[in-house]
Amino acid sequence: YNSQKQILSVAHKFRQQNIPIDNIVQDWYYWKKNKWGSQRFDSTRYPHPKQMIQTLHQKDHLHFMISVWPKFYTTTKTFKQFWNNGWLYKKNVNDHQKDWVGYVSTFYDAFNPHARKAFWDLVKNRLFSLGVDAWWLDASEPDIHSNTDIQTRKALMNPTYLGPAAEYFNAYPLVNAEAFYKGQQRAKPNQRVFILTRSAYAGLQRYSAAIWSGDIGTTWTDMKNQIGVGLNYSISGLPFWTMDIGGFAVEPRYQNPTKKNKKEWRELMDRWYQFGAFCPIFRAHGQKPYREVFNIAPPGSKTYKSIVKYDKLRYRLMPYIYSLDAMTWDDHYTIMRALPMDFPNDENVRDIRDEYMFGPDLLVNPVTSYKTRSRKVYLPQTKGWYNLNTGKFFDGGQNISAAAPYNRIPVFVKAGSILPIGPAEQYTGQKPQNPITLYVYTGRDGHFTLYNDDGVSEDYKDGKYTKIPIHYIDQTHTLHIGKRQGSFQGMVKNRTFNVIWVSKNHQQALDFNATADQTIHYDGNAQTIQMK
C-alpha cells in the first residue's frame, strides 16, 4: 500500500464484505523517497499515521504490521548517527558507489548490543509509539546485493561485532529479531510480540518469530514447491512457517492478462488460498495484480466464493489451530508435518512431498496444476481416514483418486480424531469460543486437549490459561470431557459442546449448519457421554 487512504479503504472493504481478517500489512516505501532507515512515514501520503492505526484498531478490529529494513541510506540523519558510532557495516572504500537499489546504503551490525538497542529505540520512538502491533523484518539475511562490490562482484564480508563474518553472519536474523523482541518486552512487558522475518536461524522461535519463504514467483511450479519448502523447514524443528499466498513476483502474462490468462490466474489464486488455509500462518502478499480476494475476482464469482469459503474455514478451525499453537510452547510441537513425522513405520510415505499433516488429525492434499479436478492421495497406514468434505470412510495404507473440484481440495481426517470447530468470526476474539462443535471420528481411540487463554497478553507464561482434556474410547463408544485445568481472567466458565459422531455407518461432512447428535453443557467438571 502507498497511502493512508488506500490502507483504510482496503480495511473497510474487507469489513464491508464480511471477509474475515485479523491483520493488515504496510510493506516498504512508506517513508519518503530515498529515506531508507529514517523509520518515518512520508507525511504527504500518510498525514496522520497514529490516527490511521487507531482507526484500524478501533473501527476495523485489525492489527497493523509494518516492514522494517535493517539498512540505512546516507541521505538520512539516522545514517550519520549510526555511522559515527561505528554501528554500520562499511560497504567499501568508495562510499559513493551505488548498490542494487540505486543509492548508497549499508546495514547495521545487529551483533553489536549497543547497535541493537539503538536500532530498537529508533523504531520504538518513530513507529511503535504510533501503535504498531507486529514487525515484518525484511532483508534479514541481510541482502547480499548490498554487501557485494559492484565492479568485482565479490562479497564484502565485513567483520561483525562478534568476529569474522564467515563465522557469524548467518545468525544475523536471530540477533536482529532479538533486538525487537527484547526491546518491545522492555517497552510493554505484557504485550505479545509478533515478528515475521525473511530468514531464519536455529533458536529463532524464542523471539516470537515466524519465517516466510521470500519473494517466490507466481507460478504453479512455485506453489507446488512451497509444500516441500514448508515441510523441510518445519521438520528442522522451527514451528512457524508461512509463504506469500499468490506468490510475490508476478509473471508478465498475468500483469496484463488476456481473458484466458485471467481465468488461469484466478484458479491459481484459488488453489493457493486453499493450500494456505492449512499452513501455520495464513497470509497473502504480492505485487500487482493485488491479492485481496475482491481484487482477484468479483463478489459472487466462483473464485471469490471459494477463497472466502476457505478463509471462513480457517476461522472455524481456530480452536484446533490455537491448541496446536499451545502445543508448540508446551510440547515442542510443529504444526505442519511431513508424513514420516507421524507415520515413521510406513515406508510408503518417505518420499511423498505434496501432502502433509496439519496437526495430528488433518491430512492435507493441495492441488497444484491448472484444470485439475482430482488427484492421487496416499492414505498412510492407520485404522482409517474420513473425507472431511463428505464423511466417507477409507482404509489406511492405500492410494486413492480423490475428487478435487474447483472449490475444494482433498482433506482427510484420521480415525480417532476429535476436531473442535468454533463459531463464525470476522476476527479472532470477536466472540467467545462458545459453543464449540466436536466432530468425533470413530474407529480408533482418540484424544485432544483444548487450550485457551486471553489471546493477547503474556500471562500464559505464568500459567494463566485453561486446558480441557477430551478423550474418545472406541471400544465403549464413549466421549470423556475431563475436568478443566487452570483459569484466566475473562475465560468462558460455562461452555456448550455440540457433538457430531462420524463413523463408517454414519457419514457426516464438515457442515457448519449440521444438527448436533448430542449437546453437553459443561461447567468445568468432568462429563462422559455415550454415542447414540
Side-chain angles (χ1 to χ4, degrees), residues 92-327:
N92 51 48
V93 294
N94 181 1
D95 286 343
H96 300 290
Q97 209 170 44
K98 293 182 179 181
D99 68 3
W100 68 289
V101 178
Y103 292 88
V104 179
S105 66
T106 187
F107 287 79
Y108 88 102
D109 187 355
F111 296 94
N112 186 323
H114 305 293
R116 284 200 301 272
K117 183 179 184 304
F119 190 61
W120 165 254
D121 287 344
L122 174 64
V123 170
K124 179 186 70 173
N125 294 333
R126 297 187 178 183
L127 294 176
F128 190 55
S129 62
L130 302 177
V132 171
D133 301 291
W135 309 104
W136 185 335
L137 303 187
D138 211 337
S140 57
E141 289 80 312
D143 167 27
I144 191 63
H145 290 287
S146 297
N147 290 274
T148 301
D149 185 287
I150 295 296
Q151 295 177 345
T152 67
R153 311 306 300 174
K154 292 180 179 179
L156 301 170
M157 300 298 282
N158 299 146
T160 73
Y161 177 84
L162 291 182
E167 183 174 356
Y168 292 103
F169 217 43
N170 282 348
Y172 193 97
L174 181 71
V175 288
N176 188 46
E178 178 187 359
F180 283 75
Y181 180 81
K182 292 186 175 178
Q184 183 176 319
Q185 288 223 313
R186 289 192 302 267
K188 289 191 176 180
N190 204 32
Q191 178 178 316
R192 291 187 191 176
V193 182
F194 183 80
I195 292 169
L196 184 64
T197 180
R198 197 168 77 181
S199 191
Y201 195 78
L204 187 75
Q205 71 276 8
R206 77 172 70 117
Y207 298 133
S208 294
I211 182 76
W212 96 97
S213 54
D215 296 346
I216 56 177
T218 300
T219 69
W220 290 98
T221 299
D222 279 289
M223 180 178 70
K224 183 175 183 178
N225 288 343
Q226 289 305 296
I227 305 172
V229 170
L231 295 178
N232 280 317
Y233 181 86
S234 299
I235 209 168
S236 74
L238 292 167
F240 293 109
W241 175 87
T242 180
M243 65 185 163
D244 292 347
I245 291 176
F248 176 76
V250 181
E251 284 194 312
R253 65 192 177 119
Y254 293 138
Q255 291 173 350
N256 295 294
T258 63
K259 185 176 181 180
K260 178 182 177 181
N261 288 343
K262 185 177 289 186
K263 187 176 181 181
E264 183 177 356
W265 163 261
R266 289 176 175 173
E267 183 165 335
L268 174 59
M269 294 301 103
D270 180 35
R271 293 304 196 187
W272 216 321
Y273 266 92
Q274 292 170 358
F275 165 30
F278 296 97
C279 287
I281 296 169
F282 181 41
R283 51 173 286 279
H285 177 63
Q287 301 185 91
K288 292 181 181 179
Y290 295 124
R291 308 311 160 81
E292 300 88 357
V293 56
F294 41 77
N295 285 318
I296 293 171
S301 66
K302 63 179 182 179
T303 303
Y304 180 95
K305 289 192 287 188
S306 178
I307 291 174
V308 172
K309 167 188 168 182
Y310 274 85
D311 185 16
K312 291 181 177 179
L313 173 60
R314 174 77 179 200
Y315 276 76
R316 290 283 196 161
L317 285 169
M318 202 58 70
Y320 178 73
I321 296 169
Y322 202 58
S323 297
L324 300 184
D325 291 339
M327 289 170 64

Side-chain angles (χ1 to χ4, degrees), residues 429-484:
Q430 182 185 19
K431 304 172 185 176
Q433 285 190 353
N434 192 48
I436 285 179
T437 299
L438 299 176
Y439 277 77
V440 183
Y441 294 86
T442 65
R444 180 186 180 188
D445 291 353
H447 70 275
F448 189 82
T449 300
L450 186 66
Y451 173 92
N452 210 351
D453 59 30
D454 65 23
V456 293
S457 78
E458 296 275 85
D459 288 349
Y460 70 95
K461 293 181 178 178
D462 296 323
K464 295 179 181 178
Y465 55 79
T466 61
K467 288 184 177 182
I468 300 175
I470 307 172
H471 297 272
Y472 168 69
I473 302 173
D474 195 55
Q475 184 176 0
T476 58
H477 299 301
T478 53
L479 183 70
H480 179 75
I481 301 179
K483 183 178 176 61
R484 181 172 54 220

Side-chain angles (χ1 to χ4, degrees), residues 308-532:
V308 172
K309 167 188 168 182
Y310 274 85
D311 185 16
K312 291 181 177 179
L313 173 60
R314 174 77 179 200
Y315 276 76
R316 290 283 196 161
L317 285 169
M318 202 58 70
Y320 178 73
I321 296 169
Y322 202 58
S323 297
L324 300 184
D325 291 339
M327 289 170 64
T328 69
W329 173 261
D330 285 339
D331 305 320
H332 312 294
Y333 193 68
T334 53
I335 300 171
M336 188 175 182
R337 306 177 64 79
L339 297 184
M341 298 175 75
D342 288 18
F343 307 98
N345 298 321
D346 188 344
E347 294 184 2
N348 297 316
V349 306
R350 294 180 184 176
D351 197 35
I352 294 179
R353 60 195 69 190
D354 64 348
E355 55 183 274
Y356 61 94
M357 295 298 294
F358 186 61
D361 301 315
L362 298 178
L363 177 68
V364 181
N365 306 271
V367 174
T368 58
S369 56
Y370 186 38
K371 294 184 177 180
T372 295
R373 299 296 180 261
S374 66
R375 62 152 288 175
K376 175 185 173 182
V377 171
Y378 177 72
L379 301 172
Q381 294 173 9
T382 185
K383 289 193 174 180
W385 297 88
Y386 294 88
N387 187 315
L388 181 71
N389 299 301
T390 65
K392 184 178 178 180
F393 178 84
F394 295 85
D395 290 324
Q398 64 167 324
N399 288 299
I400 65 169
S401 177
Y406 191 95
N407 65 345
R408 196 172 77 208
I409 59 171
V411 178
F412 291 85
V413 191
K414 188 171 61 178
S417 296
I418 301 167
L419 190 64
I421 303 296
E425 291 185 300
Q426 290 297 304
Y427 53 90
T428 54
Q430 182 185 19
K431 304 172 185 176
Q433 285 190 353
N434 192 48
I436 285 179
T437 299
L438 299 176
Y439 277 77
V440 183
Y441 294 86
T442 65
R444 180 186 180 188
D445 291 353
H447 70 275
F448 189 82
T449 300
L450 186 66
Y451 173 92
N452 210 351
D453 59 30
D454 65 23
V456 293
S457 78
E458 296 275 85
D459 288 349
Y460 70 95
K461 293 181 178 178
D462 296 323
K464 295 179 181 178
Y465 55 79
T466 61
K467 288 184 177 182
I468 300 175
I470 307 172
H471 297 272
Y472 168 69
I473 302 173
D474 195 55
Q475 184 176 0
T476 58
H477 299 301
T478 53
L479 183 70
H480 179 75
I481 301 179
K483 183 178 176 61
R484 181 172 54 220
Q485 304 165 9
S487 65
F488 63 92
Q489 187 173 1
M491 72 179 191
V492 177
K493 295 182 179 179
N494 296 295
R495 286 190 170 277
T496 298
F497 288 110
N498 295 315
V499 180
I500 293 180
W501 302 97
V502 188
S503 66
K504 293 181 183 180
N505 301 321
H506 185 250
Q507 298 180 12
Q508 174 62 59
L510 180 64
D511 180 357
F512 303 142
N513 298 314
T515 301
D517 295 314
Q518 291 165 266
T519 296
I520 302 171
H521 298 289
Y522 177 80
D523 61 3
N525 292 308
Q527 293 192 46
T528 299
I529 63 167
Q530 185 80 35
M531 182 173 73
K532 291 183 179 179

